[in-house]
Amino acid sequence: MYELIGSIRDVFSSPYISTPIVSPNLVNELWILLTKLFIHSDIYDNKFFAIFAMDDIYLYSRRQNIKLCLKDLEKWREKHNKNNTTEEILECVDDIILPDV
């Protein structure tokens, strides 16, 4: 999964992207797919790479004024803390769902 997720992340990871590189519908579809992978995978590496790709997609979507649904990620965060996941994952989730805090 790392190579697949890494390829997606590579497309969105540059902070210098100022023009659309994919359609808003594709961004939303990727977001939904990665959210499901993040929430439902029992494999830590899949969760880790999915949330970091999601962070890049989220930043891209903000620059392109694309609205993403954060509801499932917010629900996940309400149920998780340092006792049942890692600090790295929590920080990344918080960066997405609480971007202006």
Side-chain angles (χ1 to χ4, degrees):
M1 291 294 287
Y2 168 76
E3 289 183 23
L4 293 173
I5 297 169
S7 297
I8 293 169
R9 185 173 184 215
D10 288 346
V11 171
F12 294 95
S13 64
S14 174
Y16 302 108
I17 299 171
S18 59
T19 59
I21 55 174
V22 296
S23 75
N25 288 340
L26 182 57
V27 173
N28 277 298
E29 290 297 322
L30 285 170
W31 181 260
I32 291 167
L33 175 71
L34 288 169
T35 299
K36 288 179 181 180
L37 177 65
F38 173 74
I39 291 172
H40 299 292
S41 180
D42 293 330
I43 300 169
Y44 176 79
D45 284 348
N46 289 345
K47 283 183 145 357
F48 180 83
F49 293 119
I51 197 62
F52 276 86
M54 290 170 68
D55 188 43
D56 288 330
I57 290 171
Y58 180 74
L59 293 173
Y60 170 83
S61 72
R62 288 189 68 183
R63 290 190 302 269
Q64 296 299 317
N65 295 316
I66 300 170
K67 180 96 169 120
L68 299 174
C69 180
L70 304 179
K71 179 176 56 173
D72 291 337
L73 200 55
E74 290 167 344
K75 286 180 185 176
W76 181 92
R77 182 59 177 98
E78 289 173 4
K79 298 176 184 174
H80 292 82
N81 58 44
K82 292 178 188 176
N83 296 324
N84 55 11
T85 193
T86 65
E87 186 69 32
E88 289 173 314
I89 286 179
L90 290 174
E91 285 179 15
C92 198
V93 170
D94 288 345
D95 285 347
I96 295 169
I97 64 173
L98 308 168
D100 297 324
V101 175

